[in-house]
Amino acid sequence: MKTFFCFTTLLLSIHCFCQADRPVSAYVAFNVNSTMYDRTLANNAVGFGAGLQLYIRTKTWLRAALDVNGEVFGGTKQLYVADGNKPIYSKDEVVTVFAGIYTQPSKRVFATFTLGPAFFNNSTYLGIKPGVGYYLVKGRQLAVKICFTNIFQHDDISNKSFGYFNFSLAVKLF
């Protein structure tokens, strides 16, 4: 009987030390936004939203990142009209699906650079999103991140981009 318990304990301890790390880290983020520039700045002054951030773990110092966010913007929501009586609509909801790179120069500081499509007002635009973050706890369970999102809003009304700062608090899922 002693042999059975010793053998079982040995097998369990080997199994515990041989478990592989998950290849992906996932975070759910809660965002607050402050618009820096837009062709209708008063209509889209502030916003909030949520997102999902995925980081693929590799042994290299650059890793793949995926950042999906949904934002709601608020403001005065006045109707602006461009030359030729074309309405300039405000941005109520903005959905972004950005992919790029993630690096971690120290144990608690990380940086990301992502780009991809941004969807609002039934149109798709290209956007970029560089950001820096800090893990608040040692186990990387909680992080704060500051990003700047620039959406190249080039259309038949104007060539003015839409840019906003994004402050987020992220909680690790796995």
Side-chain angles (χ1 to χ4, degrees):
M1 194 66 163
K2 288 182 186 179
T3 307
F4 173 74
F5 285 122
C6 288
F7 184 70
T8 305
T9 305
L10 181 64
L11 283 178
L12 287 174
S13 65
I14 290 172
H15 178 70
C16 291
F17 287 110
C18 294
Q19 289 182 353
D21 219 5
R22 293 181 192 255
V24 176
S25 294
Y27 291 85
V28 62
F30 304 98
N31 308 323
V32 176
N33 306 313
S34 176
T35 302
M36 298 308 296
Y37 52 85
D38 186 24
R39 57 187 175 202
T40 60
L41 184 60
N43 284 345
N44 314 306
V46 294
F48 63 92
L52 178 68
Q53 301 166 356
L54 297 174
Y55 305 120
I56 297 176
R57 294 186 191 160
T58 62
K59 298 203 185 274
T60 62
W61 61 280
L62 284 178
R63 301 171 185 167
L66 179 67
D67 193 357
V68 179
N69 287 295
E71 313 292 343
V72 177
F73 285 89
T76 59
K77 301 302 181 194
Q78 299 170 358
L79 178 63
Y80 289 94
V81 180
D83 296 337
N85 295 329
K86 291 183 183 179
I88 301 174
Y89 297 105
S90 61
K91 295 159 190 70
D92 293 326
E93 302 95 19
V94 177
V95 176
T96 58
V97 182
F98 291 162
I101 57 172
Y102 162 91
T103 186
Q104 191 174 350
S106 72
K107 289 194 183 277
R108 295 230 178 160
V109 176
F110 63 94
T112 61
F113 182 83
T114 56
L115 64 112
F119 307 99
F120 57 88
N121 296 342
N122 298 322
S123 297
T124 304
Y125 302 99
L126 176 66
I128 61 170
K129 184 178 181 182
V132 295
Y134 182 78
Y135 292 112
L136 296 174
V137 294
K138 240 181 186 180
R140 298 185 199 144
Q141 303 297 326
L142 192 63
V144 292
K145 187 175 174 184
I146 299 171
C147 300
F148 179 75
T149 304
N150 182 57
I151 299 172
F152 300 100
Q153 186 178 341
H154 300 282
D155 54 19
D156 57 347
I157 296 172
S158 73
N159 288 328
K160 291 190 176 182
S161 295
F162 171 48
Y164 58 93
F165 276 107
N166 179 287
F167 308 97
S168 63
L169 176 67
V171 179
K172 188 172 187 177
L173 295 175
F174 56 86

